[in-house]
C-alpha cells in the first residue's frame, strides 16, 4: 500500500448487508439518500457502494465510508440521525421489515508490515 494513499487516523465505516432481491431497490434508495448527506459533511474523504456479482460471500451489498478521524464520525452521527428523523426513516425498522441482515462496524487501517 502506498503511503500517498494512507491517512493517519482515518476511520472506515463498513456496512455489510444480506439484501433479499425484493428489497434491493428500497435499500439502495435509502443508502443513496444517506450517502448524499454524508458526502456534504466535514471530514468525509470517500465512499463506495459495492454489490457482489460473484463468489460465495454472504453479503451482497457493502458500503464503505472513509472519514478523516473519529472526531469527524462523532460529529456526523447526530446529523444523520436528525436527517433520518425529519423524513421518518428508521434504519432499524426498515432492515427488520425487509428481512435484511446487517453487519455494521467502524474499522481502522492496520500499519504496514
Amino acid at each position: 500500500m502506498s503511503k500517498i494513499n494512507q491517512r493517519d487516523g482515518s476511520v472506515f465505516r463498513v456496512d455489510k448487508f444480506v439484501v433479499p432481491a425484493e428489497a434491493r431497490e428500497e435499500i439502495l434508495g435509502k443508502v443513496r439518500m444517506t450517502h448524499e448527506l454524508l458526502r456534504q459533511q466535514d471530514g468525509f474523504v470517500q465512499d463506495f457502494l459495492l454489490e457482489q456479482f460473484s463468489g460465495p460471500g454472504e453479503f451482497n451489498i457493502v458500503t464503505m465510508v472513509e472519514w478523516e478521524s473519529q472526531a469527524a464520525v462523532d460529529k456526523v452521527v447526530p446529523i444523520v440521525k436528525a436527517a433520518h428523523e425529519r423524513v421518518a426513516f428508521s434504519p432499524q425498522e426498515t432492515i427488520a421489515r425487509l428481512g435484511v441482515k446487517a453487519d455494521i462496524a467502524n474499522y481502522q487501517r492496520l500499519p504496514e508490515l
Side-chain angles (χ1 to χ4, degrees):
M1 217 177 291
S2 168
K3 283 284 189 193
I4 295 169
N5 292 331
Q6 290 189 21
R7 290 175 179 79
D8 290 337
S10 284
V11 173
F12 298 85
R13 168 67 180 251
V14 179
D15 297 355
K16 300 177 285 190
F17 302 101
V18 177
V19 179
E22 60 275 8
R24 181 182 179 275
E25 290 308 312
E26 183 173 346
I27 289 294
L28 290 177
K30 300 300 187 189
V31 166
R32 287 183 177 113
M33 173 191 73
T34 300
H35 280 242
E36 286 174 14
L37 174 64
L38 298 178
R39 290 182 194 115
Q40 299 171 25
Q41 303 308 308
D42 290 337
F44 172 87
V45 177
Q46 64 179 335
D47 65 338
F48 298 94
L49 172 55
L50 308 170
E51 184 169 30
Q52 179 183 0
F53 69 92
S54 70
E58 177 182 16
F59 299 99
N60 57 335
I61 301 289
V62 177
T63 68
M64 191 281 301
V65 179
E66 181 180 0
W67 296 97
E68 289 178 352
S69 65
Q70 183 60 48
V73 174
D74 294 342
K75 286 180 185 176
V76 80
V77 168
I79 293 169
V80 171
K81 183 177 179 183
H84 285 170
E85 287 174 357
R86 279 193 299 278
V87 296
F89 169 55
S90 167
Q92 296 81 7
E93 181 277 326
T94 301
I95 285 169
R97 177 175 52 81
L98 296 175
V100 171
K101 178 181 173 185
D103 178 29
I104 297 170
N106 290 338
Y107 294 80
Q108 61 187 8
R109 196 181 311 252
L110 290 173
E112 283 194 59
L113 298 175

